[in-house]
């Protein structure tokens, strides 16, 4: 009873919180999101604001010991002389025109609407047990809904608001609408299939196709199989810049002159994600090899490409199956603690009731202990549910 109905109470509270969070991200009134659940043609103001800035690295001058510039005789004739050769600094700034998003587990990332099964739910980032308690979750490592490529979302079938309870009723051509900071996107259902819990190859990018994959448990009230819906995006996707520190590749020495310094400013949560500044500092023209300037675009291009964010890795090596009682250790302790609390409340009620001789007097004692017992029992079940398969 708790799994089927009690979990829905917590999920409804989380959905209200996610709606407020998403409305804040979009800078709109939450009531506009309510309209999206009724009218699929609602337009959300999701056009990103491009911020412009320039970063120039401060590079000290080069100090060349043992070199006299302009002196008679070969270089190095006066070891005690130190001449400072000023550097010429060139800065190239790459501005991003794409939406900039920061993703962290449990945050609101959008809203999904499926008219065929009367579903409107707010989406969270992540598919862990605690994430899916709030609503359907986006698989980390796949594209966001609306981006080019494959986006994947998991949702409960019969618990926590059972968002995908009627997913098996979907047919080819049925519409799925997803709204987020990237915009409002429409997908058309292609097919439904049932796979084994270990068959996560359905989450791998299909190359060149903009797809949305929804996964849930199958059949209802069981976690023995997975029901997988695949839909395709109508129109073109919107490429986003994820605000995560990119991995800057090691540049082979052959692409840079020996005296070149490259100081990239990577995107992170603490800096402006709308640009990638690449500063290339050269020595004075008297000491720069003739071929050095031609290698600068190669270096800048390499760093700019690296800063576009991490590429989604294939997920076929990861199982999306979740066993019974496989929760973390702290959940076990919490479950044990609340179970002990239930036992203590029941024991206290029994000890007080046995002192009453009349039948109705004993019933009144148990009635008085009923509310605190249910309160403790609710949290006992809340933790116990975290030990069960997360996609039931």
């Amino acid at each position: 009873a708790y799994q089927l109905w009690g979990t829905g109470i917590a999920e409804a509270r989380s959905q209200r919180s996610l709606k407020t969070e998403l409305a804040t991200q979009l800078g709109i009134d939450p009531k506009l999101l309510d309209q999206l659940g009724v009218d699929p043609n609602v337009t959300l103001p999701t056009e990103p604001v491009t911020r412009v800035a320039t970063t120039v690295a401060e590079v000290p001058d080069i100090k060349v010991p043992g070199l006299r510039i302009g002196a008679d005789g070969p270089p190095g004739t006066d070891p005690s002389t130190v001449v400072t050769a000023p550097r010429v600094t060139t800065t190239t700034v790459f501005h991003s025109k794409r939406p900039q998003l920061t993703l962290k587990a449990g945050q609101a990332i959008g809203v999904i609407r499926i008219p065929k099964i009367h579903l409107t739910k707010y989406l969270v980032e992540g598919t862990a047990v605690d994430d899916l308690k709030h609503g359907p979750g986006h698989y980390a490592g796949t594209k966001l809904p609306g981006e080019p490529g494959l986006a994947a979302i998991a949702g409960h079938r019969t618990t926590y608001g059972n968002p995908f309870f009627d997913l098996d009723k979907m047919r080819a051509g049925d519409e799925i609408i997803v709204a987020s900071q990237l915009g409002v996107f429409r997908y058309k259902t292609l097919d439904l299939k049932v796979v084994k819990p270990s068959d996560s190859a359905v989450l791998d990018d299909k190359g060149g196709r903009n797809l949305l994959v929804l996964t849930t448990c199958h059949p209802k009230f069981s976690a023995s199989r997975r029901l997988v819906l695949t839909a395709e995006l109508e129109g073109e996707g919107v490429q986003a810049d994820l605000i995560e520190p990119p991995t800057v590749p090691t540049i082979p020495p052959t692409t840079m002159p020996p005296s070149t310094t490259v100081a990239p400013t990577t995107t992170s949560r603490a800096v402006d994600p709308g640009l990638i500044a690449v500063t290339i500092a050269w020595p004075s023209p008297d000491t720069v090899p003739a071929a050095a300037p031609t290698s600068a675009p190669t270096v800048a291009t390499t760093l700019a490409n690296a800063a576009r964010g991490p590429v989604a890795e294939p997920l076929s090596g990861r199982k999306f199956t979740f066993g019974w009682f496989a929760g973390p250790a702290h959940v076990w302790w919490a479950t044990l603690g609340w179970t002990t609390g239930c036992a203590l409340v029941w024991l206290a009620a029994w000890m007080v009731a046995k002192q009453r001789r009349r039948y109705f007097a004993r019933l009144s004692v148990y009635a008085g202990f009923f509310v605190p017992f249910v309160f403790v029992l609710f949290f006992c079940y809340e933790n116990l549910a975290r030990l069960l398969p997360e996609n039931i």
Side-chain angles (χ1 to χ4, degrees):
Y2 170 81
Q3 279 200 296
L4 296 181
W5 297 291
T7 55
I9 299 174
E11 187 267 354
R13 183 173 63 251
S14 298
Q15 284 286 299
R16 290 191 294 269
S17 177
L18 289 172
K19 179 177 73 172
T20 302
E21 181 182 344
L22 182 61
T24 301
Q25 293 177 7
L26 299 176
I28 63 176
D29 190 324
K31 294 181 180 179
L32 187 60
L33 292 175
D34 293 332
Q35 296 178 19
L36 181 66
V38 179
D39 181 9
N41 296 316
V42 170
T43 301
L44 301 179
T46 57
E47 186 66 25
V49 178
T50 302
R51 291 175 291 175
V52 180
T54 302
T55 301
V56 179
E58 295 181 359
V59 183
D61 293 338
I62 303 175
K63 293 185 176 181
V64 186
L67 176 63
R68 179 190 291 258
I69 298 179
D72 296 332
T77 56
D78 188 351
S80 63
T81 302
V82 177
V83 178
T84 300
R87 286 190 174 190
V88 179
T89 303
T90 303
T91 301
T92 304
V93 180
F94 299 87
H95 296 279
S96 172
K97 299 299 184 183
R98 299 180 295 193
Q100 299 143 8
L101 305 177
T102 301
L103 298 182
K104 61 180 180 180
Q107 79 171 56
I109 64 167
V111 55
I112 183 171
R113 180 171 185 259
I114 307 180
K116 175 69 175 290
I117 59 177
H118 309 288
L119 172 72
T120 301
K121 291 289 183 180
Y122 294 92
L123 305 173
V124 301
E125 174 64 18
T127 55
V129 175
D130 289 340
D131 299 329
L132 294 181
K133 287 167 56 178
H134 305 308
H138 167 249
Y139 280 97
T142 68
K143 296 293 186 180
L144 291 172
E147 278 196 294
L150 184 142
I153 296 172
H156 284 290
R157 190 78 187 273
T158 55
T159 61
Y160 291 102
N162 48 58
F164 291 162
F165 186 81
D166 291 325
L167 198 64
D168 56 333
K169 295 181 180 179
M170 297 290 288
R171 297 294 181 266
D174 289 339
E175 188 176 47
I176 299 174
I177 304 166
V178 182
S180 68
Q181 294 183 65
L182 301 182
V184 180
F185 305 93
R186 288 170 170 78
Y187 290 83
K188 289 294 185 181
T189 301
L190 298 179
D191 58 48
L192 276 171
K193 59 183 176 181
V194 177
V195 301
K196 295 179 180 180
S198 59
D199 188 10
S200 58
V202 296
L203 304 179
D204 290 346
D205 193 274
K206 302 302 185 288
R209 302 190 68 183
N210 303 332
L211 303 177
L212 175 67
V213 172
L214 306 182
T215 69
T216 191
C217 282
H218 186 80
K220 295 175 180 178
F221 311 102
S222 171
S224 61
R225 293 289 186 272
R226 294 292 182 270
L227 179 66
V228 179
L229 179 148
T230 304
E232 188 161 18
L233 178 66
E234 293 183 327
E236 297 182 358
V238 175
Q239 185 70 46
D241 278 336
L242 302 184
I243 309 176
E244 298 291 344
T247 301
V248 180
T250 301
I251 303 174
T254 55
T255 64
M256 300 172 55
S259 56
T260 301
T261 301
V262 180
T265 301
T266 59
T267 54
S268 69
R269 303 180 196 279
V271 301
D272 185 350
L275 61 89
I276 302 298
V278 180
T279 302
I280 302 177
W282 305 102
S284 62
D286 294 334
T287 59
V288 177
T294 60
S295 61
T298 303
V299 177
T301 302
T302 303
L303 290 170
N305 291 335
R308 293 183 179 179
V311 179
E313 298 179 357
L315 300 180
S316 56
R318 187 188 74 178
K319 296 182 178 181
F320 51 93
T321 176
F322 314 101
W324 292 81
F325 308 113
H330 73 274
V331 177
W332 275 102
W333 285 109
T335 304
L336 181 60
W338 286 106
T339 302
T340 303
C342 290
L344 291 176
V345 173
W346 179 86
L347 181 61
W350 176 76
M351 293 182 66
V352 174
K354 74 175 184 176
Q355 298 176 7
R356 304 294 190 270
R357 294 183 178 181
R358 294 184 178 182
Y359 176 76
F360 288 102
R362 292 195 296 269
L363 284 183
S364 65
V365 171
Y366 285 116
F369 277 90
F370 179 77
V371 173
F373 178 78
V374 171
F375 177 82
V376 177
L377 186 65
F378 181 89
F379 288 100
C380 173
Y381 285 162
E382 172 71 13
N383 285 278
L384 181 60
R386 298 172 67 185
L387 301 175
L388 305 182
E390 63 184 71
N391 259 11
I392 291 182

